C-alpha cells in the first residue's frame, strides 16, 4: 500500500510567512459549494496571521460565473481576532469562485513605528532611510501615475540635508499612504484553494408548491383528465397563491403487472396504473401518456401556467415498467438474474413487479448515465426548469454530482428537488452534491420539541449553507397520523407551520379539502390512493381551507421575513403546546404563534424577544395579525395569547413600526 | 491568474460508490496531527454511506511510527447514523498515521434478503444461484484454506437437484459467513487522505513544573550560584513533588548594554545581566555562562535531577546579545539598518539595546535555521528532552513546523513548551504546528466566570485535540494583580486551581514564599526582579505554602483523574465566589470546590452531578477531602460547603466507593 500524498502546504519556508486559515463559508474543506440566491449579499471571512508585529492586509478574490477574470475586494482586518472580512452582492446565477490573499503591509508597520518614535522624541534618521527604501521598492510595481511621486518622496526622505522632522511629516502624508496602498505588494500569500458558491434564482429558496395529478382533472367525474382539462385548474392554483405546480410522471404507463386500486396486484381493464411505472409501447421518459394528450398539449400547459405566474415542475423518476423501450433496447442497463431475466424491484418480502430498477453501475453505465441526462435535456428544451427527483438515494451519489453539475453548467436556472426520505447523512450528501432543495422529515415532527429541534438543525447549523428544506405537508405517500386524527384544525396548523417555518413549502392535492382517511389503521397511505386511480374532487367542498391558503400565500409574498431560511429563531412560550417563533428581515419583524394542539384551546404567556427588537421592558408596541387584520397593543416581554382550534390556530403578528420621539 | 486545482475526488464514477466522510478526530481538514500520549486508547469514527440498501463494512488502517506496515482494525457500523467506529491502544511514541477503508458487503446483503424471502415462503432458487456467484467471486481472493470450502458450497448452492430449503440452510451457515468475511472484498474505497496523531510520552500531558534561576542558588547570601550549588536545591524540589525543573537560559550573558537591577539601562560592575541577553566572548547558545560552571557541571546537574525523579527543561530563546559569536560570524542573520549597523530589539518607543533579534527571513536563512536546529541537537545530546521556547510567535510559523518535525523524527520524546502570550489564533497555530504544550492566559482569569469559560474552551472544544495548556501561576514576567493584593490565600487558591484544572502546571521560584511586591503599582513586573539580579531566599520563611505544594503534588500523583485534560466538567454552585468542578477517571471521581475570594469566608450550596455519578437523589455517600483526610457524609445533589481563606481555600473531595447491595 502506498502512502497518501501530503496536503498542499498552507505555509512555506519562503517570505512573507503569512498564513490564511478558516476561510468561511466553506463545506467539507471546500469540497462542496455553499448555496445562495441571486441578490444575496455574500459575507466571507478568514483568519490571517503572521509572526511578529507587522500590519497585515487581505483581499477577497471573486470570479463570477462564465468569467475568467478575478475581481478584488479589500477586506477589513480585526487584529484582536486575526480576522478579516468583506462582503459583496451575488448579482447573477451560476457557480462563483472565491479565495483570499493576504500580505504584510510593511509601509503601514513602518508608519506606525515612525509615529511612536516621533511622539517619544527619538532620532528617526535611520527610519527615514528605511522608508525611502520601501517607497523605491513599491515604485517598481506602481502605476505610472504614482511612480514619479513615490520616487520623489523617496529621494526627499533620504535627503539628509533636510531636517528629519520635515521629512517625517512628508512620510506621514495621507496622499502618500493612498499611493502606496495602490501599488501591488511585493509578496502575496494565496489561500490554498478556491471555494465556490452556487447562486440560484430566487425560486430555489422561496416558493409555494402544489402537487397535482393531471389525470384526475377530468372534464367530468370519472373521466381521465388531460393536459387540456388540467389547464383549467391553473387559474384556481394561481388564485390560491401557488408558485409551482408539480406533476407526478406524465409518461406512458406500462401495462405488464400494472397495479390496481389500493396497490392491488391485479389491475382491471381501464385501471390507469401508477404513473411511476414508466414506459409502454408509446415510449419512455421522453414521451407523454397518450391519455393525457400530446407533447404539444403539455407545452401549452406549461405556457398557460407561465402566463398565470405559475411554473411547472416535472417528476424525474429513474425506473422503468417492463414495457419501457429501454428494456428491449438496453437490457444490460438493468439488473440481470442468473437465468438471464431482468430483476423487478423488491423490498423483501414485498415485490414490485410493475417496476424494473436501472443498474447505474452496469458495465454499460456510460450510455445509461448519458441517456439519463438526455431525459433532462429533453424536458429542459420544452421549457421545464424544475424537477422533483424521485428516490435519488437509490442511484449513485457520483451520478448526481455529475449530472447536476453538467446540467447547471448549461442551464444555471434549473432547480432540482431531492425526494430522499432516508438517513440524515445521505439526505445531506445529496444536497451537498448539487440538489437545490430537499424533502424533509417535517411531516413526522408534530410537537413543539420535535419541530423546534429539527428546524434549528435545518436553519441554524452548517446544513443551512447547502440544504434547503421544502416542507411538504403531505404527499401521495405520506398522510401522517397527525392529519388522520386532528381533523380540519390539524390541516390548518400544518399549513401555517410549513408556510412560515421555511420559505419553500408544498401541499399535495386534497390537503385543502382535509382528506385524511388512511388505507388502514397504522398506515400512512391514503385510502383509494390517487397513485393507482383517478380521483375527482369538489374544490369548494365544505370545510375546505382555501381561505387559509390564499391568505397565507399572500402574506408570504408581502413579507420579506418569510422569504429567507436562516432568519428563524424560537422563543419561550410557557405552555409547551404553543410554538412561538420570530422571522426577521430588515423592516419586517414577524412573531408567529401556533397552537400545536388540534383538539383543544390553549393559552400561554409568550416571551417576546424585546431586547433584540429594540423594545424597552416597559414600552408598549403594536402588533398586527396579518391573518385577520386585528391589532393588539402589547407591553414588554411577557404577553398573553389564547388560540382555539376552531377559531384560529395561530397568529402571524407583524411588529408595527415603533414610534420614535415625542409627538406634540 | 491561474485557477486553483480542484480537490482530490472523494467520489468517483466507478463502483462500488461508497463514500467516506468526516473521519474523526481531524484538525483543519487533516492538515495537522491530533495529540495523544502513549497508552491512550484512540477512538476513530467515520461517516460511511452508499446509495441503495447494501450492507456496508469498514476498517481502520493504522501505521505505527517507523513502520511501513498498515494494520487493520474492523470497525463497527451503526446504520442509523451511517457511522462506523473503532479504537486501539497507542502503544508507542511518535507519529502514527490512520485512515479508513469501506466497501459494500454484498454477501451480507444477500444473506439478509435470503432470510426475509425464506421467512415469507418465497421461491429462492434464483437467489441461490446468485449466492453461488458471490462465493465463486470471493473464492478467487480467498486464502487457500477457505478457497476449497467456498467452491464446494458454491457448487452446492447451484445444484438444482437439491431442494432449495436445504441449499439455503447451507448458505446461512455461520462458518460460511466467517470464511466470506475473511476474503478480501472485490472493490474497496479508501478515504482520500491519511491523518496523523502524534503520540508523546506521558510527561507531555502530566507534570508539575518549577522554574528556578540557578545563579540565585548560591552557597552563601550574595554569592553567584553555580550548577553545583543549584544541585543542592534538587532534593527540596523532589520532596515538594515536582516533575520538571525549568532553568532560564544558562548561556554566557553579553556585557554590551547589559541591564542593571530593575531593568535599568546601565549595569554596574558585577551586575549579572539578563540571562535572555545570550552570548559573550565565552560563546553563544551552545555554551554555558562561566559563572555557573562548566558544561560538565551542567551534565552532572541533569544526572542528579534524573536520580531524584526530576527532569531538567532548558530555555530556548532565539536572540542574541551584541557580543554573541553569531553577530561577528553571521551579521547577515540579523536585521541590518540602512547604515549597515545591526538593529537592536525595540517596541517603540522602548529600546532593548542589549538584544539583537535574528532575522529568520534573511537571505541566508537556510544556514540560520540549520544553526538553530543544531542548538537543539547540542542540548538533546547532553540529555535534555524538554525545552521551554521563548516568544515563538516572533519567529516564522514555517520555521517551527520544520524544526519540531525534524527533531521529533529523530527524538520522538522531546517536549516543546510554547511561551507565546499572544492572540488566540497564533497561540493555537503554534500548538497545531507542533508545540507539545503551551503557556496560557490562566494568570489573567481570576473569577468563576472567566476561569470556567476559559477552561471549557481549553478542555471541551476542538482545541483540546492539539493544545495542551500548562497553567503557570506566575513567571518572572507575570506577577498578576490577584497575587499582589490577595496575600497568602491568593497563592493557595491559584496553586489549587492550576494543579487541579490541568494535568500540567507550574510555579516560578518565590511563589511558595508568596512573593508579591510589584516594581510599581499597575505593573506585573516583580520589584527587584530576578531577571536582572541574584535573589537569595529562605525557603522555610514564615507563611510559606510548601505544605500545600507537597500535598497537592502527592494528590496529583495518586489520582488518575488529575492526570488528564479533557475529563473536566463544571457544576452549579449557588455562590458565584465558589468554583465547583469535577475531574473524572474510571474508579477515581474527584469533586473540587474552590473559594475564589482570598479575602473572605464564602459558603455555598453546590449541586453534585449525582446522576452522572450513579448516585440516587436520596442516597447518602461519603466524600474524603484528600487535602485533610476528613470525611463527610453527603446526601443527594445539593450539599453545603464553607471555605475560609485562613483555614482552607478549597476541597479536593474523592468520592469513596459507593456500597452496593445490602449488608446483613
Amino acid at each position: 500500500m502506498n502512502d497518501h500524498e501530503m496536503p498542499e502546504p498552507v505555509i512555506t519556508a519562503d517570505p512573507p510567512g503569512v498564513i490564511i486559515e478558516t476561510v468561511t463559508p466553506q463545506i467539507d474543506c471546500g469540497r462542496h459549494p455553499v448555496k445562495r440566491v441571486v441578490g444575496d449579499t455574500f459575507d466571507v471571512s478568514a483568519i490571517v496571521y503572521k509572526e511578529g508585529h507587522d500590519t497585515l492586509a487581505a483581499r477577497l478574490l471573486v470570479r463570477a460565473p462564465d468569467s475568467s477574470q478575478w475581481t478584488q475586494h479589500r477586506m477589513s482586518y480585526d487584529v484582536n481576532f486575526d480576522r478579516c472580512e468583506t462582503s459583496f452582492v451575488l448579482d447573477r446565477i451560476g457557480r462563483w469562485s472565491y479565495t483570499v490573499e493576504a500580505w504584510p503591509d510593511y509601509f503601514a508597520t513602518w508608519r506606525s513605528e515612525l509615529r511612536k518614535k516621533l511622539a517619544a522624541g527619538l532620532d528617526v534618521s535611520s527610519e527615514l532611510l528605511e522608508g525611502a527604501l520601501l517607497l523605491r521598492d513599491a515604485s517598481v510595481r506602481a502605476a505610472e501615475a504614482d511612480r514619479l511621486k513615490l520616487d520623489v518622496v523617496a529621494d526627499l526622505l533620504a535627503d539628509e540635508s533636510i531636517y528629519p522632522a520635515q521629512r517625517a511629516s512628508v512620510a506621514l502624508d495621507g496622499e502618500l499612504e493612498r499611493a502606496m496602498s495602490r501599488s501591488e505588494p511585493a509578496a502575496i500569500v494565496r489561500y490554498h484553494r478556491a471555494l465556490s458558491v452556487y447562486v440560484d434564482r430566487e425560486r430555489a429558496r422561496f416558493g409555494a408548491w402544489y402537487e397535482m395529478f393531471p389525470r384526475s382533472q377530468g372534464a367530468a367525474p370519472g373521466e381521465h383528465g388531460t393536459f387540456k382539462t388540467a389547464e383549467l385548474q391553473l387559474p384556481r392554483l394561481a388564485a390560491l397563491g401557488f408558485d409551482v405546480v408539480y406533476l407526478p410522471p406524465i409518461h406512458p404507463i406500462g401495462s405488464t403487472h400494472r397495479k390496481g386500486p389500493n396497490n392491488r396486484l391485479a389491475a382491471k381493464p381501464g385501471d390507469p396504473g401508477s404513473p411511476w411505472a414508466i414506459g409502454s409501447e408509446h415510449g419512455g421518459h421522453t414521451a407523454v401518456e397518450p391519455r393525457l394528450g400530446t407533447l404539444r398539449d403539455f407545452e401549452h400547459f406549461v405556457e398557460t401556467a407561465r402566463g398565470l405566474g405559475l411554473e411547472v415542475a416535472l417528476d424525474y423518476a429513474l425506473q422503468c415498467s417492463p414495457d419501457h423501450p429501454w428494456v428491449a433496447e438496453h437490457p444490460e442497463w438493468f439488473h440481470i438474474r442468473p437465468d438471464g431475466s431482468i430483476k423487478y424491484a423488491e423490498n423483501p418480502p414485498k415485490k414490485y413487479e410493475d417496476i424494473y430498477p436501472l443498474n447505474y453501475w452496469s458495465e454499460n453505465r456510460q450510455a445509461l448515465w448519458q441517456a439519463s441526462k438526455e431525459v433532462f435535456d429533453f424536458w429542459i428544451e420544452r421549457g421545464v426548469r424544475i424537477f422533483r427527483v424521485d428516490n435519488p438515494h437509490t442511484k449513485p451519489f457520483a451520478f448526481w454530482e455529475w449530472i447536476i453539475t453538467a446540467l447547471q453548467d448549461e442551464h444555471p436556472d434549473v432547480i432540482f428537488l431531492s425526494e430522499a426520505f432516508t438517513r440524515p447523512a445521505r439526505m445531506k450528501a445529496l444536497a451537498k452534491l448539487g440538489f437545490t432543495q430537499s424533502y424533509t422529515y417535517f411531516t413526522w415532527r408534530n410537537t413543539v420539541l420535535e419541530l423546534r429541534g429539527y428546524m434549528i438543525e435545518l436553519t441554524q447549523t452548517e446544513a443551512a449553507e447547502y440544504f434547503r428544506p421544502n416542507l411538504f405537508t403531505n404527499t401521495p405517500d405520506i398522510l401522517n397520523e397527525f392529519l388522520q386524527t386532528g381533523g380540519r384544525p390539524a390541516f390548518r396548523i400544518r399549513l401555517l407551520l410549513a408556510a412560515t417555518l421555511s420559505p419553500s413549502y408544498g401541499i399535495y392535492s386534497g390537503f385543502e379539502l382535509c382528506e385524511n382517511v388512511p388505507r388502514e389503521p397504522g398506515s400512512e397511505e391514503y385510502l383509494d390512493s390517487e397513485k393507482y386511480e383517478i380521483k375527482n374532487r369538489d374544490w369548494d367542498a365544505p370545510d375546505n381551507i382555501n381561505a387559509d391558503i390564499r391568505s397565507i400565500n399572500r402574506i408570504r409574498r408581502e413579507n420579506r421575513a418569510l422569504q429567507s431560511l436562516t432568519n428563524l429563531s424560537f422563543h419561550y412560550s410557557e405552555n409547551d403546546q404553543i410554538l412561538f417563533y420570530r422571522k426577521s428581515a430588515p423592516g419586517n419583524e414577524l412573531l408567529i404563534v401556533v397552537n400545536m394542539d388540534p383538539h383543544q384551546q390553549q393559552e400561554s404567556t409568550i416571551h417576546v424577544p424585546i431586547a433584540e427588537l429594540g423594545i424597552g421592558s416597559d414600552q408598549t408596541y403594536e402588533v398586527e395579525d396579518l391573518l385577520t387584520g386585528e391589532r393588539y397593543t402589547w407591553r414588554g416581554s411577557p404577553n398573553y395569547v389564547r388560540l382555539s382550534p376552531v377559531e384560529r390556530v395561530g397568529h402571524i403578528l407583524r411588529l408595527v413600526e415603533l414610534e420614535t420621539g415625542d409627538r406634540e
Side-chain angles (χ1 to χ4, degrees), chain A:
Chain A
M1 180 184 296
N2 289 325
D3 205 342
H4 290 262
E5 277 188 81
M6 283 308 288
E8 316 89 316
V10 294
I11 62 176
T12 75
D14 295 316
V18 174
I19 299 177
I20 305 172
E21 276 185 0
T22 323
V23 177
T24 304
Q26 174 168 168
I27 302 298
D28 289 357
C29 306
R31 173 67 181 81
H32 306 289
V34 298
K35 296 194 177 95
R36 294 291 186 274
V37 305
V38 69
D40 278 355
T41 295
F42 191 54
D43 300 312
V44 180
S45 69
I47 301 295
V48 173
Y49 53 84
K50 182 189 188 311
E51 86 282 1
H53 305 285
D54 281 311
T55 302
L56 299 185
R59 64 190 175 200
L60 177 69
L61 302 185
V62 175
R63 198 176 56 187
D66 304 318
S67 168
S68 58
Q69 296 295 311
W70 291 84
T71 55
Q72 301 177 359
H73 301 261
R74 186 65 180 255
M75 303 178 88
S76 65
Y77 190 69
D78 179 346
V79 69
N80 288 324
F81 297 95
D82 297 286
R83 185 174 184 278
C84 54
E85 64 179 339
T86 191
S87 61
F88 65 100
V89 174
L90 297 159
D91 59 8
R92 70 188 103 152
I93 62 171
R95 194 172 306 267
W96 296 61
S97 299
Y98 57 101
T99 194
V100 170
E101 288 184 338
W103 62 95
D105 185 342
Y106 296 115
F107 185 67
T109 309
W110 175 84
R111 275 169 60 99
S112 153
E113 297 197 351
L114 182 67
R115 270 184 217 281
K116 288 179 191 162
K117 287 178 182 173
L118 287 169
L122 300 179
D123 173 23
V124 295
S125 338
S126 178
E127 283 69 22
L128 291 168
L129 295 177
E130 285 177 13
L133 292 176
L134 287 173
L135 298 189
R136 285 199 186 107
D137 178 60
S139 153
V140 176
R141 293 179 308 280
E144 207 169 324
D146 288 326
R147 201 172 303 148
L148 185 63
K149 157 131 197 154
L150 296 179
D151 288 339
V152 166
V153 178
D155 289 345
L156 191 146
L157 294 192
D159 184 347
E160 306 201 345
S161 72
I162 307 175
Y163 280 122
Q166 272 182 288
R167 287 185 275 154
S169 78
V170 174
L172 296 173
D173 172 55
E175 177 51 40
L176 178 63
E177 185 183 16
R178 284 186 288 279
M180 283 297 280
S181 76
R182 281 191 295 267
S183 95
E184 187 70 356
I188 295 189
V189 170
R190 170 115 39 104
Y191 188 58
H192 66 93
R193 71 181 302 167
L195 304 171
S196 63
V197 49
Y198 194 84
V199 178
D200 287 292
R201 58 195 173 103
E202 200 203 8
R203 187 62 67 234
R205 180 157 70 198
F206 173 61
W209 291 49
Y210 186 89
E211 175 172 1
M212 177 179 81
F213 283 68
R215 70 185 187 186
S216 285
Q217 319 309 324
E223 254 180 43
H224 194 288
T226 64
F227 292 122
K228 282 186 182 150
T229 58
E231 241 180 73
L232 302 174
Q233 293 299 325
L234 294 174
R236 178 180 75 86
L237 300 179
L240 285 173
F242 287 102
D243 302 298
V244 179
V245 183
Y246 148 52
L247 310 182
I250 57 172
H251 314 301
I253 297 172
S255 51
T256 304
H257 295 295
R258 177 177 285 192
K259 294 289 177 66
N262 287 305
N263 201 20
R264 273 199 293 272
L265 284 185
K268 286 194 287 287
D271 282 346
S274 162
W276 283 273
I278 294 170
S280 77
E281 72 273 22
H282 300 293
H285 284 78
T286 52
V288 297
E289 163 66 33
R291 295 172 77 179
L292 287 172
T294 65
L295 198 51
R296 251 218 125 83
D297 296 338
F298 171 73
E299 288 170 324
H300 192 270
F301 180 89
V302 171
E303 278 155 36
T304 304
R306 188 177 299 128
L308 290 161
L310 283 164
E311 193 170 345
V312 173
L314 278 194
D315 200 302
Y316 182 81
L318 292 170
Q319 56 192 23
C320 298
S321 97
D323 310 315
H324 194 290
W326 287 354
V327 175
E329 292 163 16
H330 291 285
E332 78 280 9
W333 286 355
F334 297 85
H335 297 273
I336 312 293
R337 294 159 69 102
D339 68 1
S341 67
I342 293 178
K343 268 193 161 177
Y344 46 78
E346 54 182 348
N347 182 11
K350 286 192 215 157
K351 301 177 181 184
Y352 305 94
E353 292 174 280
D354 58 336
I355 288 170
Y356 287 169
L358 287 149
N359 178 4
Y360 277 87
W361 291 124
S362 74
E363 290 294 328
N364 190 15
R365 61 182 170 273
Q366 278 203 312
L368 170 59
W369 292 29
Q370 191 55 45
S372 302
K373 178 169 179 295
E374 284 162 12
V375 172
F376 275 124
D377 291 336
F378 181 90
W379 294 108
I380 287 171
E381 215 163 289
R382 272 142 198 93
V384 179
R385 286 293 186 282
I386 307 185
F387 297 92
R388 175 271 197 195
V389 178
D390 192 72
N391 272 328
H393 57 295
T394 60
K395 287 94 199 169
F397 291 89
F399 168 75
W400 294 118
E401 180 165 50
W402 167 76
I403 204 166
I404 293 175
T405 305
L407 289 164
Q408 285 183 332
D409 281 351
E410 294 167 42
H411 309 284
D413 59 340
V414 178
I415 290 172
F416 302 88
L417 167 62
S418 159
E419 189 249 9
F421 292 106
T422 179
R423 303 188 297 272
R426 305 204 299 181
M427 289 175 67
K428 287 181 177 170
L430 291 164
K432 288 180 193 174
L433 293 173
F435 278 93
T436 319
Q437 298 192 343
S438 308
Y439 280 74
T440 69
Y441 305 143
F442 172 71
T443 51
W444 301 287
R445 301 290 181 269
N446 289 291
T447 67
V448 163
L449 220 60
E450 286 167 352
L451 204 51
R452 195 169 49 197
Y454 189 50
M455 290 311 301
I456 286 172
E457 180 193 335
L458 294 183
T459 65
Q460 307 303 312
T461 70
E462 188 193 67
E465 292 285 359
Y466 60 84
F467 185 99
R468 293 199 190 98
N470 190 331
L471 304 186
F472 268 80
T473 57
N474 64 327
T475 77
D477 300 313
I478 310 171
L479 170 65
N480 184 264
E481 191 191 359
F482 186 83
L483 296 178
Q484 294 178 27
T485 59
R488 185 172 182 269
F491 285 77
R492 300 182 71 205
I493 290 167
R494 297 299 292 177
L495 172 72
L496 178 55
L497 291 169
T500 59
L501 284 169
S502 162
S504 288
Y505 88 104
I507 69 171
Y508 150 60
S509 280
F511 184 87
E512 64 268 56
L513 304 178
C514 306
E515 292 177 359
N516 69 348
V517 184
R519 198 177 58 196
E520 71 268 343
S523 168
E524 291 198 334
E525 290 283 338
Y526 281 90
L527 179 67
D528 303 330
S529 168
E530 197 170 6
K531 288 189 285 187
Y532 311 104
E533 60 192 280
I534 289 167
K535 280 194 98 80
N536 301 118
R537 294 184 174 94
D538 171 6
W539 302 112
D540 299 313
D543 288 339
N544 72 65
I545 59 168
N546 290 332
D548 286 79
I549 294 170
R550 250 193 317 271
S551 160
I552 288 175
N553 281 339
R554 175 186 50 78
I555 293 168
R556 282 167 48 88
R557 288 185 179 168
E558 290 172 356
N559 288 272
R560 281 184 58 195
L562 295 175
Q563 298 166 17
S564 292
L565 177 65
T566 56
N567 61 342
L568 172 69
S569 57
F570 289 94
H571 301 281
Y572 180 45
S573 154
E574 296 186 6
N575 178 345
D576 68 6
Q577 293 288 326
I578 287 188
L579 185 66
F580 174 35
Y581 49 100
R582 169 187 178 208
K583 292 284 289 184
S584 171
N588 187 223
E589 290 289 352
L590 303 184
L591 302 171
I592 303 174
V593 194
V594 184
N595 178 5
M596 306 285 279
D597 179 353
H599 305 291
Q600 292 189 55
Q601 174 172 297
Q602 297 283 349
E603 51 188 27
S604 182
T605 297
I606 58 169
H607 292 250
V608 176
I610 51 171
E612 298 158 35
L613 292 167
I615 298 169
S617 59
D618 266 340
Q619 200 176 346
T620 59
Y621 50 99
E622 207 170 35
V623 293
E624 178 192 4
D625 190 337
L626 299 176
L627 291 164
T628 61
E630 286 166 293
R631 291 192 170 211
Y632 307 93
T633 299
W634 281 3
R635 176 194 289 269
S637 176
N639 284 282
Y640 174 81
V641 294
R642 186 177 58 212
L643 296 164
S644 135
V646 184
E647 291 148 38
R648 65 171 124 229
V649 297
H651 293 295
I652 303 178
L653 300 167
R654 187 177 64 85
L655 182 66
V656 177
E657 279 304 300
L658 291 173
E659 300 285 345
T660 53
D662 294 330
R663 270 179 296 187
E664 287 182 308

